[in-house]
Amino acid sequence: METIRTVSWMKEKAREARAEQRVVGLVPTMGALHAGHMALVERAQKECSHVYASIFVNPAQFGSSEDLSKYPRRLDADVQKLTAAGVQGLFLPSRDEVYPPGFSTYVQVEGISERFEGKSRPGHFRGVATVVLKLFEIVQPTFAYFGRKDAQQVRVVQKMVHDLNLNVELVICPTVRESDGLALSSRNAYLCEQERRAATVLYRALHAAERKLSVSVRDALELKSAMLEVLDSEPRARVDYAEIVDAETFEPVVRVERRCYALLAVRIGSTRLIDNMLIQAGDRIAVEL
Ligand code: AMP
């Protein structure tokens, strides 16, 4: 696997790929790779002739109160995993490569970026959209792979691709979970043993909403109460938000009448975790596409 550290070299590779009409897949990550990331890589391997993963802990998407320097970094293990998976290249730019001195252009996807994750983490989606647009421009992928674990991020990127007529097709992959339901996340590494056990409360809360849906409850308040009841039962959990939202706009809904997300952000100790479940009103209530 080739490690590419500069924007100019990555762009050269992209030019080469275009000239040879290769199907290029991009898997953007912040590293500390786990089975969730690797599921995106595997999907990309199936659909593309050339797969690039990127690892960049993007300072622009961290708030001033969030500790960017503490974000887990495991480059050696990441390189091993990507090599074993057979990806063609790792794009590993430095901070200055992505944001050279004097950088001052940002992408703002209005509306959706201001809700939930965007409200709790001001500027977060501006940072995400900016870096993702840059990665698309630099790598020029045919397909780009994202996880539904970060559902609002997916929607922000989809909206940006649509609004700016970008030449890339997004592929959204299901959330990979531990056997007890906890969604894999690089941030799970922060949890101590007791917190790790407590962290299953997110999945249990989503499951409670699912049970209500299965007995035809469509009232969003009732579904939300079911989630909160479970979350409140866990003393280590502090709820940031628990909501039923429209899957396109991320506006809270009154009733589940079209595709919605049950959406959670919960602090377990000092670690903030997010999770979600895609739901709809028809026969199959919980959808994982
Ligand atoms: P991150 O390194 O956290 O920025 O994540 C990189 C990509 O992996 C994003 O598209 C995430 O949505 C995706 N991802 C993270 N965790 C999971 C998971 N448990 N299952 C599926 N995809 C995931």
Side-chain angles (χ1 to χ4, degrees):
M1 180 184 71
E2 185 178 9
T3 299
I4 301 158
R5 292 177 188 270
T6 64
V7 168
S8 60
W9 187 231
M10 190 66 244
K11 287 189 93 156
E12 183 54 40
K13 289 272 158 195
R15 267 193 293 275
E16 215 177 279
R18 255 207 322 276
E20 294 189 9
Q21 298 191 325
R22 292 179 193 152
V23 179
V24 174
L26 170 65
V27 182
T29 81
M30 298 205 299
L33 301 181
H34 51 63
H37 297 115
M38 297 316 290
L40 306 188
V41 169
E42 276 158 36
R43 174 86 178 261
Q45 298 275 51
K46 286 200 189 112
E47 298 173 349
C48 306
S49 62
H50 284 66
V51 175
Y52 290 96
S54 64
I55 297 181
F56 181 62
V57 183
N58 176 29
Q61 71 188 67
F62 284 77
S64 51
S65 61
E66 298 172 354
D67 199 351
L68 169 68
S69 64
K70 269 213 308 226
Y71 194 82
R73 288 166 172 84
R74 310 231 172 88
L75 186 58
D76 290 349
D78 290 351
V79 167
Q80 268 182 20
K81 285 179 189 171
L82 293 171
T83 307
V87 313
Q88 270 66 37
L90 166 62
F91 181 43
L92 185 66
S94 68
R95 184 179 177 146
D96 270 7
E97 271 297 299
V98 178
Y99 300 113
F103 184 93
S104 64
T105 305
Y106 292 88
V107 182
Q108 180 75 37
V109 180
E110 292 180 358
I112 184 167
S113 290
E114 283 116 51
R115 300 182 193 118
F116 299 100
E117 278 308 276
K119 193 168 180 190
S120 298
R121 306 178 66 189
H124 173 65
F125 286 125
R126 181 177 99 135
V128 169
T130 303
V131 84
V132 170
L133 178 61
K134 284 186 65 111
L135 289 170
F136 288 171
E137 278 303 296
I138 295 164
V139 182
Q140 301 270 312
T142 325
F143 297 104
Y145 295 81
F146 291 86
R148 200 176 292 283
K149 153 84 169 38
D150 298 280
Q152 197 178 357
Q153 166 173 287
V154 162
R155 215 33 225 142
V156 167
V157 175
Q158 282 175 333
K159 189 104 195 353
M160 173 180 77
V161 166
H162 178 263
D163 287 355
L164 299 182
N165 310 103
L166 302 183
N167 227 346
V168 59
E169 198 168 314
L170 303 180
V171 181
I172 314 307
C173 303
T175 301
V176 177
R177 300 179 180 280
E178 302 279 8
S179 54
D180 60 8
L182 177 67
L184 296 187
S185 162
S186 307
R187 289 191 165 88
N188 294 351
Y190 299 144
L191 303 169
C192 70
E193 213 181 306
Q194 294 91 329
E195 289 171 342
R196 169 63 188 80
R197 273 199 297 275
T200 59
V201 76
L202 281 86
Y203 186 66
R204 286 186 276 124
L206 293 175
H207 208 64
E210 192 182 356
R211 271 200 306 276
K212 287 267 175 200
L213 279 156
S214 70
V215 293
S216 301
V217 173
R218 295 291 177 266
D219 179 68
L221 256 184
E222 222 178 302
L223 296 171
K224 183 174 162 170
S225 306
M227 294 200 289
L228 285 174
E229 196 179 314
V230 175
L231 293 167
D232 289 344
S233 72
E234 174 47 67
R236 289 176 194 270
R238 267 187 303 132
V239 181
D240 183 351
Y241 57 77
E243 206 47 81
I244 308 293
V245 302
D246 181 280
E248 305 250 305
T249 63
F250 278 70
E251 304 252 29
V253 297
V254 175
R255 281 183 67 76
V256 178
E257 277 163 350
R258 48 190 179 274
R259 288 180 134 217
C260 292
Y261 280 109
L263 206 61
L264 294 180
V266 178
R267 256 177 221 286
I268 305 289
S270 57
T271 305
R272 190 170 174 282
L273 300 175
I274 58 172
D275 203 346
N276 67 77
M277 183 178 58
L278 187 58
I279 53 183
Q280 63 187 13
D283 296 339
R284 282 183 58 225
I285 46 163
V287 215
E288 199 53 286
L289 295 177

